[in-house]
Amino acid sequence: MTQLLLLLLLLLAPISLSMAESSTPPTTGQELLIGFKATPNPSVSSFQSLITDSNGNYSLGFLRVNETRLTLAVVHVPSSEIIWHANMTKLARWSDPTQLIFNGSLIISDSHSGVFWSTYTEGDRVWLSNTSNLQVQTSDGSVLWQSFDFPTDTLVENQNFTSNMSLVSSNGIYSMRLGQDFMGLYAKFKSGSDPGQIYWKHKALEAKAAILPGQPIYAVLKSDGFLGMYQNGSVPVDVQSFNSYLQPVSGVRRVRMETDGNLKGYFWTGSSWVLDYQAVSEPCDLPNSCGPYGLCEPGKGCACLDNQTDPNTGRCASPGNHNLVDFCTAYSIKYKVIRSNGVELPYKQLMGYQRMHTFQQCETACQQNCTCWGVVYSNTSGFCYILDYPIQSLMKVGDESKMGYFKVSEGVGKRKIDVGLGVGMGLVCGSILVFGVVVGYGWYRMRERKRGVSGYVKEDGVVGVGPYKDLGAASFRSIELSGR
Ligand SMILES: *[C@@H]1O[C@H](CO)[C@@H](O)[C@H](O)[C@H]1NC(C)=O
Ligand SMILES: *[C@@H]1O[C@H](CO)[C@@H](O)[C@H](O)[C@H]1NC(C)=O
Ligand SMILES: *[C@@H]1O[C@H](CO)[C@@H](O)[C@H](O)[C@H]1NC(C)=O
Ligand SMILES: *[C@@H]1O[C@H](CO)[C@@H](O)[C@H](O)[C@H]1NC(C)=O
Ligand SMILES: *[C@@H]1O[C@H](CO)[C@@H](O)[C@H](O)[C@H]1NC(C)=O
Ligand SMILES: *[C@@H]1O[C@H](CO)[C@@H](O)[C@H](O)[C@H]1NC(C)=O
Ligand SMILES: *[C@@H]1O[C@H](CO)[C@@H](O)[C@H](O)[C@H]1NC(C)=O
Ligand SMILES: *[C@@H]1O[C@H](CO)[C@@H](O)[C@H](O)[C@H]1NC(C)=O
Ligand SMILES: *[C@@H]1O[C@H](CO)[C@@H](O)[C@H](O)[C@H]1NC(C)=O
Ligand SMILES: *[C@@H]1O[C@H](CO)[C@@H](O)[C@H](O)[C@H]1NC(C)=O
Ligand SMILES: *[C@@H]1O[C@H](CO)[C@@H](O)[C@H](O)[C@H]1NC(C)=O
């Protein structure tokens, strides 16, 4: 009996020992083995590294979100850019009961709420590749789970982006997806409208290979400096080349779905990221360049749809309008109307329309429909574009026969309805924002300075906030073009 107990103790000893050891997580380790356990360290303010890749370029660890919460993230160490984070519908707390374990599955849980996130695998080790791919592998090296299959907002070199994936901006509004034969950018301007309005579409040119109908396409960011679309094999059906196309660059490349709705490509110089691709090159072509009810004039900057509001105050309509779903409920039914000429939707080619004989007809259709926020009408073509989501930015055009009618809610004092960004999407860590904004915004500023443009408004005073601002709110739209 005693022998049996001893044997048991001996058998258990190495396990409990290894668990005790690993509960103070190594910061230099390169893999996690079964039995690994880590808890967030209360004194760490932003990122607690657990493992790194062989070069020390990337690190997997706990990332602080919203001050008291955490998610699991892979960061590029020299720049602190977040390359990937776990998509948790609910965030775990940065405090004691929360733990990360590896028992075959990589699991974040706490004793009260249970499992927040899991890879649901039966693997033998967790490993971070030198390309930032977090993998759960078996002992023979086969991959059971990899972060490359669940991208966040970033795609790195040679990562396969398939048609059932999406890159979602950290504010949860914008996404990049693949269609049958194109790449598209979508904006979700109200809840429940997945994926939302398409505002940019790049159809495959099929110069070197034709797309076979019925087979999905996928996209890959290539080291040569292009975003390629493929169907099978190595011959791309489309190539979107970057500024540094075919030029040797010093470091790795990445593309990110930014919070302003642009898809941007960067390469690493060894000390900074250099922007060398933007899907949307003209700021006014972004869906929300000047904020809600803003008016973007190419080469000039921002104004408001009504002439009374000063875009420099930061907003062209009361904030309630940003979060309202429609005008159908009792408290939201009151609205005033703005009419203006010489305005156009930046992405009207991608919008559905109805033909109407007069602007009056088009306007009436909207007036009588409480889910309609406004219309844009072309007097020459008779096209009536109906907007069934909160008004974003319009584009100023010289042609006065392009007319708009927009509803502005008067009845909403405070934000009653959340735009419905899932927590998972909005979980967006302060650091993502800070870096995203700093980099993206820095480039915009440089671009704008070159063009001599000034005065793109900031909508909500969020530029330059500390790292832990609530990013779940719709208030993050369009901060990138802000002019300070
Ligand atoms: C990764 O590390 C290697 C060697 O330390 C370095 O040459 C390379 O530039 C690094 N890459 C990135 C993306 O930081
Ligand atoms: C790993 O832990 C989770 C959560 O505690 C549990 O549900 C799962 O069964 C465990 N897996 C193994 C292989 O022990
Ligand atoms: C990354 O790792 C692979 C092997 O997994 C190796 O062939 C390659 O040279 C490494 N790259 C760098 C930059 O260290
Ligand atoms: C995160 O998870 C939610 C719910 O499971 C899903 O709707 C959303 O698309 C996911 N986000 C990403 C970036 O995959
Ligand atoms: C991407 O897909 C190709 C073929 O479809 C495959 O050979 C390659 O290993 C994949 N890359 C990754 C990182 O999964
Ligand atoms: C996504 O599509 C790929 C093939 O294109 C497939 O292998 C994979 O199982 C799909 N993933 C999901 C989550 O549907
Ligand atoms: C690739 O396309 C060719 C036709 O162009 C087809 O014959 C071949 O089977 C395809 N290969 C794969 C792996 O789907
Ligand atoms: C704004 O002012 C311009 C001229 O300054 C005028 O043409 C336009 O109709 C005005 N728009 C509104 C909505 O009042
Ligand atoms: C109201 O507009 C929505 C789209 O904005 C449309 O789906 C619906 O059919 C319209 N209702 C009526 C009664 O016209
Ligand atoms: C719209 O077109 C009609 C005739 O097609 C014309 O009479 C009217 O003046 C035009 N209105 C504007 C504002 O251009
Ligand atoms: C962050 O905290 C604020 C208030 O403390 C909360 O309203 C918001 O939903 C939180 N965001 C996330 C993503 O949990």
Side-chain angles (χ1 to χ4, degrees), residues 326-339:
D326 57 34
F327 294 91
C328 299
T329 43
Y331 69 80
S332 63
I333 217 147
K334 275 186 66 180
Y335 63 85
K336 62 178 189 199
V337 161
I338 302 175
R339 287 185 183 79

Side-chain angles (χ1 to χ4, degrees), residues 149-150 161-165 216-218:
D149 290 340
F150 305 91
F161 182 83
T162 63
S163 51
N164 54 15
M165 295 176 183
I217 58 169
Y218 62 97

Side-chain angles (χ1 to χ4, degrees), residues 78-98:
S79 68
S80 303
E81 287 288 346
I82 292 143
I83 303 294
W84 174 87
H85 68 74
N87 183 10
M88 293 199 257
T89 44
K90 195 169 149 242
L91 293 170
R93 269 174 305 177
W94 189 290
S95 59
D96 197 18
T98 299

Side-chain angles (χ1 to χ4, degrees), residues 295 304-308 337-342 396 400 404:
L295 186 61
C304 287
L305 278 175
D306 68 356
N307 286 337
Q308 284 111 54
V337 161
I338 302 175
R339 287 185 183 79
S340 57
N341 290 356
K396 178 109 194 110
E400 291 285 309

Side-chain angles (χ1 to χ4, degrees), residues 353-411:
Y353 56 83
Q354 289 169 31
R355 259 191 188 183
M356 307 247 179
H357 293 302
T358 62
F359 182 39
Q360 186 56 47
Q361 234 178 327
C362 178
E363 202 181 294
T364 306
C366 186
Q367 231 164 36
Q368 291 170 349
N369 191 336
C370 67
T371 66
C372 176
W373 282 80
V375 291
V376 178
Y377 182 74
S378 166
N379 201 37
T380 38
S381 65
F383 291 180
C384 173
Y385 301 91
I386 295 179
L387 300 166
D388 64 352
Y389 44 80
I391 306 300
Q392 310 296 316
S393 295
L394 277 288
M395 205 157 71
K396 178 109 194 110
V397 290
D399 184 351
E400 291 285 309
S401 73
K402 306 239 191 293
M403 298 171 274
Y405 161 94
F406 310 100
K407 296 177 183 174
V408 190
S409 169
E410 287 189 310

